[in-house]
Every structure is written in structure tokens, then in C-alpha cells.
Amino acid sequence: MAYVITQNCCKDASCVPVCPVDCIRPSAGAGEFTGTEMLYIDPATCIDCGACQEECPVGAIYADTDLPPELERFQEINAAYFEANPLETELVPMPKNHAAVEAGSLRVAIIGAGPAACYTAEELVKVTGVEVDLFERLPTPYGLIRAGVAPDHLHTKAITDLFAKTFTNKRMAAHFNVEVGKHVTHEELLAHHHAVVYAVGANNSRDLGIPGETLPGNFGASDFVGWYNGHPDRAEDDFDLTGERVVIVGNGNVALDVARVLLMSPERLHKTDIAEHALNALGESAVREVVIVARRGPRDAAFSAAEFMALGHLEGIDVVIESDDLDADPADDVETAWKLEIAREYAERPQSPDNKRIVFRFMAAPVEVVGDDKVTGLRVVRNSFDANGKLVAGDPATDAEVIETSLVLRSIGYRGREIADVPYDAAAGVVPNDGGRVLGDDGEPIPGVYVSGWIKRGPRGVIGTNRTCAEQTVARLWEDFDSGKLSRGVQDRESLETFLHERGIDKVEWQGWKAIDAAERSRGSDTKRPRVKFVSIDEMLLTAKGTVGV
């Protein structure tokens, strides 16, 4: 028997150091990133100890004898990875924590409460003496785990249990419902902390840059994701679900999440933590087909093979592949070959006229959002490859067609917002930095200012990628601390509390969030759901104070 890593692997890599025979790959040192979509266990070396399963924060690891039917294929996939990449023992020394520091000598502010922020906080509070203040503009923590992960991926959201341990550390203080730039400035943070780490994500959907983008009915996919996940900023949005077809531009995992949610049955959605308003709207939806538009072919698809395969297990939904280029090449890596194999299987499956459909339209580039006063379609042109494998754009005059739809969702990537008083690279949509140290206009590090997560590296990677990213940033911070660059005098934590109180900020602390969490779970239990989220900040604040709740 061996253990198998499956679909919701978050690449957190908690499993790697606990493996006594070092058979989990690819592994990475601090600050290094793996190039694969997930991690794999070598079945020939695994000794069936189960340590990895116990350590996995998202329940992605199974004994091969316990695999659910829809995950059985991962046994073959784990083995295939090591056939292509034979295991070699790596004598990598375990990273050592920094020595304890004197109380009050390092106080760090972290801005944001998503995975990057939580991993950064975890890395810092490991060291005795370090104090961390975390600021989040919403009354709730966890960022895109709460408002971005698909509602049917409940196992993935379980990683918050790991982060909760960090929030309960006595040297960690949570300041939810406090917005940096509105309630407190960058300079005021620096007055109370030796270092400030911005881990604010990159939540703005990129534009297509084509005519018609301002028409009602064209949205960023992140808006739709925020809506169905109950983000307070998006709860009042209105999406036209009266048409039978929705078009998504882009083919990453977010596109697959959106397609799945749009077509999933109300009964299945009811078992998730989707926002109540979205559950009701999708229950009355007329959508029967989602067309996913991709500029390139299946070999270059941005979605992960695991998420692509999972579409095939959706009841009452056909997966349609519009491509004649599905043959694997000897040069393809394991994951690319896997995607192509799954695509071929979908292409060969019989389709039912009674089923809903997810249609992958490859080699199609959007050139115009069509409509007069609202979206009525998306015009695309057929792309091709030349003899050298270079992408050749189609001719709008001869290779164009209009895909009729009343709703277009852009899922072509994200970019970060500008942060007040912090340098910003508008072209890249990130804060300029060197391994996490924020760089000024002169290219030199700004003392005491750091970044972690998507605002640092751009919107790449999955939840667990932020652990390695945070380790890199914190390593730079420790280098600066040890060299005396963070030794300036700052005001103490009591002064910070007084300052926030005098500002009249309606702050929510960790216990306030626990009250919100308990109330949401209680509301869910009444209707046999995991939770029913609050989508109003006012309701959240009242619940945090104990005015309403369970």
C-alpha cells in the first residue's frame, strides 16, 4: 500500500518534511518555487506510514486502498510523475528558525488576512519575542480562501484550521475591519512597527483591451466569484442569468470554477457554502451552456490537469472539446500529457441533448464585445500556428464569428491595486521588490517595507505557493533585522491600541471573528448547509459584538 496525493493539493508542502523516506516531489527550499501543478508521492518508495496524510492541511492525501472512485486515477498519475522523474534522495537541511529576540525589539505589521498574510504571520511568530499586528479591511479573515475558493471545494478551505493556530498566539493581534489608507496610514504603521509587510493580493481582473468592454453584461470573473462567495463588495451585483449561454474568456482554474458553479444542480450547490443570494439566483438560472474561450490550444491550457479531470465527474454535464490537436508529444511533461489524454477522452464521450454543456473553444481570440446598450455576444477570430509553432492571429474579416450571449466573464488574470505611499509598477500590477524587499524609485530597498503574495510576485501559484513566498520575504526581513536596519525606535503595542481607539475605528478582534464564524455555521445547520455567510458588514459587526448571532 502507498499514499496518493489527489485533486485539492495546495502545494503547501507541509507533507514534505515529515516523510521519513523523502519520497514526495517536487520539493523546494525556502524562497524556491516548484514548477508543477501539485505534489506527488513515489509509490515505489512510500512505506505506508501515513505521516503525510496527518500533516496535509486540506485532506488531499489518501491511502491507495481508500481512494474514492472519482480520485482513483491519481494513483496512476502519481506513479507516472516518478516514471518521468525518477526519485533521487535530496540531502536538504531542515531550515532553522531565527533565534529568539528580546521582547519589543521586532514588531511587524502585516496588511491583509489571506494566505500570504497568514503564512507570513506564521513564519514570524515562530520566533519567540516577535510581535505581529495583522490588519484587514473586512471584519473577516482569510481573504481569497473565504471569497475566492470555489464553494464546492470545502476541503481546500480547511487550511484555515492551520492558520487559526497562528491567530491564537499571544504575540499575534488581529485588527479586522481596519483599512490601511483609510483608517490608518502607511507612515502611522511605521511609527508603531519596525517593519510593515503588505500581503494585499491582486484582485482586479485584467481587461481584454477590445471594443465593447464597457457594455453592461461584461464583467471580470473575479466579480462573479466574489458575488457567489458572498464578498461584501459584490453582494449587491446583478448578473444576467436569463440567457442559455455564458461565455468565459480565459481557461485557468478560475474559469473552470465559474463554469462549474454556473451549471451545477441546486441540490449540489446547497451542500456548499455558496452565498444565499447566489444559491437562489442560480436555482432560477436559465444557463445551460458555458463556452470557455482560449487563444491557444489544449497543450497550452492554463487550468490544472486535476481540475480539468474533475469536470468529467459532474452529473448531467457534458464536456465538449473543440480542437483537433489533442495528440501528446514525447516532449510534453507529465501534466501536459495528462491534460491531453483527458481532453481526448472527453472528445470521444457520447453527448446527451438533455445535458448541460461546458464547451472548450480553443484557438479562438476575442476581438469585440458585441451589443448596443448591453452585451449580446462576443466576436472571436480563429487563431492558428505557423510551421515554426508561432501563434498566428486570425483575420477578423474572414475568420470571425459571434458567440451569442448576454453575459461575458473575463478570466485572463489579475493585477494588484496601487497602495498609498508605497511604490507601484503599473505595467506589472505589483509592488517593485527584490525577494520581498520593496524597492524605491532609485531601485534601492526602502527600510522596513516588504511585500508577500500576489502583490509581490503577480497572480501565480496556488494557496500553498504563498508559504514559500512568505518564507522568502521573512528571510529578507531577518537579514535586515540582524544587520541593524530595523533597530529604530517605535511606539509600543499599548500606544497602537490607544491610537486605534481614539480614531473611533469599529475594530473586530479574533474573538469577534469567532462569533461571526459560529453564527454562520449555526445558520447553516438550520438548513443542513456548511454555513450561511453574512454578506453585510453591518451584520458582521453586530454579530461580532454579540448583538445578533447564534
Side-chain angles (χ1 to χ4, degrees), residues 28-304:
E32 299 175 0
F33 299 92
T34 64
T36 60
E37 296 167 352
M38 56 181 283
L39 305 182
Y40 304 91
I41 294 174
D42 181 12
T45 308
C46 176
I47 59 171
D48 185 28
C49 70
C52 57
Q53 185 184 48
E54 294 180 9
E55 197 69 21
C56 178
V58 295
I61 302 179
Y62 292 77
D64 56 13
T65 54
D66 295 334
L67 283 165
E70 68 275 14
L71 299 179
E72 286 179 350
R73 193 169 187 171
F74 282 92
Q75 186 173 0
E76 170 193 341
I77 292 161
N78 277 249
Y81 176 82
F82 288 96
E83 288 175 10
N85 305 275
L87 183 68
E88 295 181 4
T89 302
E90 297 181 351
L91 298 177
V92 179
M94 290 291 292
K96 295 181 179 180
N97 290 336
H98 193 280
V101 298
E102 184 180 348
S105 64
L106 182 60
R107 187 173 301 114
V108 182
I110 300 175
I111 318 307
C118 291
Y119 279 124
T120 302
E122 178 188 36
E123 194 69 14
L124 285 164
V125 298
K126 285 178 182 177
V127 178
T128 301
V130 179
E131 295 177 357
V132 174
D133 290 298
L134 184 142
F135 297 83
E136 162 60 44
R137 73 180 183 90
L138 295 178
T140 56
Y142 304 138
L144 286 181
I145 300 175
R146 178 178 169 90
V149 172
D152 59 328
H153 282 9
L154 294 175
H155 281 298
T156 302
K157 299 186 182 191
I159 200 169
T160 57
D161 294 339
L162 175 69
F163 298 148
K165 297 175 184 177
T166 300
F167 277 105
T168 56
N169 188 294
K170 292 181 179 180
R171 290 177 285 106
M172 172 88 170
H175 308 281
F176 304 139
N177 202 46
V178 180
E179 184 172 352
V180 174
K182 177 182 178 181
H183 298 125
V184 57
T185 68
H186 174 72
E187 291 303 322
E188 287 166 340
L189 288 174
L190 286 172
H192 291 85
H193 301 89
H194 301 95
V196 179
V197 182
Y198 287 93
V200 294
N203 302 327
N204 288 352
S205 290
R206 291 184 179 274
D207 294 330
L208 293 167
I210 60 177
E213 281 204 273
T214 59
L215 284 170
N218 175 53
F219 295 90
S222 61
D223 296 343
F224 190 72
V225 170
W227 173 76
Y228 67 57
N229 272 321
H231 193 292
D233 292 352
R234 304 262 69 97
E236 300 299 323
D237 286 357
D238 184 26
F239 297 92
D240 184 358
L241 302 177
T242 60
E244 291 194 356
R245 179 185 294 123
V246 173
V247 176
I248 303 174
V249 180
N251 64 350
N253 284 346
V254 172
L256 271 57
D257 286 345
V258 170
R260 203 172 59 252
V261 169
L262 279 165
L263 299 179
M264 209 179 298
S265 69
E267 294 76 21
R268 185 160 178 174
L269 282 173
H270 190 271
K271 298 176 182 178
T272 75
D273 67 353
I274 191 170
E276 197 78 359
H277 61 259
L279 180 65
N280 295 333
L282 289 164
E284 300 175 357
S285 168
V287 177
R288 294 193 56 80
E289 179 178 276
V290 176
V291 178
I292 295 176
V293 173
R295 292 176 59 246
R296 304 177 72 91
R299 175 171 280 99
D300 301 304
F303 52 70
S304 70

Side-chain angles (χ1 to χ4, degrees), residues 173-456:
H175 308 281
F176 304 139
N177 202 46
V178 180
E179 184 172 352
V180 174
K182 177 182 178 181
H183 298 125
V184 57
T185 68
H186 174 72
E187 291 303 322
E188 287 166 340
L189 288 174
L190 286 172
H192 291 85
H193 301 89
H194 301 95
V196 179
V197 182
Y198 287 93
V200 294
N203 302 327
N204 288 352
S205 290
R206 291 184 179 274
D207 294 330
L208 293 167
I210 60 177
E213 281 204 273
T214 59
L215 284 170
N218 175 53
F219 295 90
S222 61
D223 296 343
F224 190 72
V225 170
W227 173 76
Y228 67 57
N229 272 321
H231 193 292
D233 292 352
R234 304 262 69 97
E236 300 299 323
D237 286 357
D238 184 26
F239 297 92
D240 184 358
L241 302 177
T242 60
E244 291 194 356
R245 179 185 294 123
V246 173
V247 176
I248 303 174
V249 180
N251 64 350
N253 284 346
V254 172
L256 271 57
D257 286 345
V258 170
R260 203 172 59 252
V261 169
L262 279 165
L263 299 179
M264 209 179 298
S265 69
E267 294 76 21
R268 185 160 178 174
L269 282 173
H270 190 271
K271 298 176 182 178
T272 75
D273 67 353
I274 191 170
E276 197 78 359
H277 61 259
L279 180 65
N280 295 333
L282 289 164
E284 300 175 357
S285 168
V287 177
R288 294 193 56 80
E289 179 178 276
V290 176
V291 178
I292 295 176
V293 173
R295 292 176 59 246
R296 304 177 72 91
R299 175 171 280 99
D300 301 304
F303 52 70
S304 70
E307 292 297 325
F308 187 43
M309 185 178 71
L311 296 179
H313 297 286
L314 296 175
E315 185 177 353
I317 299 174
D318 288 331
V319 181
V320 180
I321 306 296
E322 295 188 357
S323 174
D324 54 6
D325 183 20
L326 302 178
D327 293 330
D329 186 281
D332 290 330
D333 60 38
V334 171
E335 289 167 338
T336 300
W338 179 19
K339 291 178 189 178
L340 292 170
E341 181 179 341
I342 295 166
R344 289 195 300 273
E345 292 175 4
Y346 287 152
E348 293 168 0
R349 282 187 184 182
Q351 298 171 24
S352 169
D354 296 329
N355 282 352
K356 298 177 181 180
R357 294 165 25 119
I358 299 175
V359 180
F360 286 86
R361 184 160 299 184
F362 293 103
M363 302 299 290
V367 293
E368 181 186 8
V369 180
V370 178
D372 293 325
D373 55 355
K374 63 178 182 178
V375 170
T376 59
L378 179 72
R379 191 183 309 279
V380 299
V381 298
R382 182 76 178 171
N383 288 340
S384 61
F385 289 113
D386 65 16
N388 297 317
K390 182 179 179 182
L391 188 70
V392 179
D395 184 348
T398 58
D399 299 325
E401 70 166 301
V402 174
I403 307 172
E404 294 183 359
T405 183
S406 57
L407 180 59
V408 173
L409 300 173
R410 308 182 311 277
S411 186
I412 57 172
Y414 302 90
R415 55 184 293 111
R417 295 188 180 99
E418 188 170 358
I419 302 168
D421 301 318
V422 176
Y424 180 68
D425 182 343
V430 299
V431 170
N433 70 94
D434 178 17
R437 290 188 181 100
V438 173
L439 303 178
D441 295 337
D442 58 359
E444 294 297 317
I446 300 176
V449 186
Y450 305 85
V451 282
S452 185
W454 279 6
I455 197 65
K456 165 188 171 183

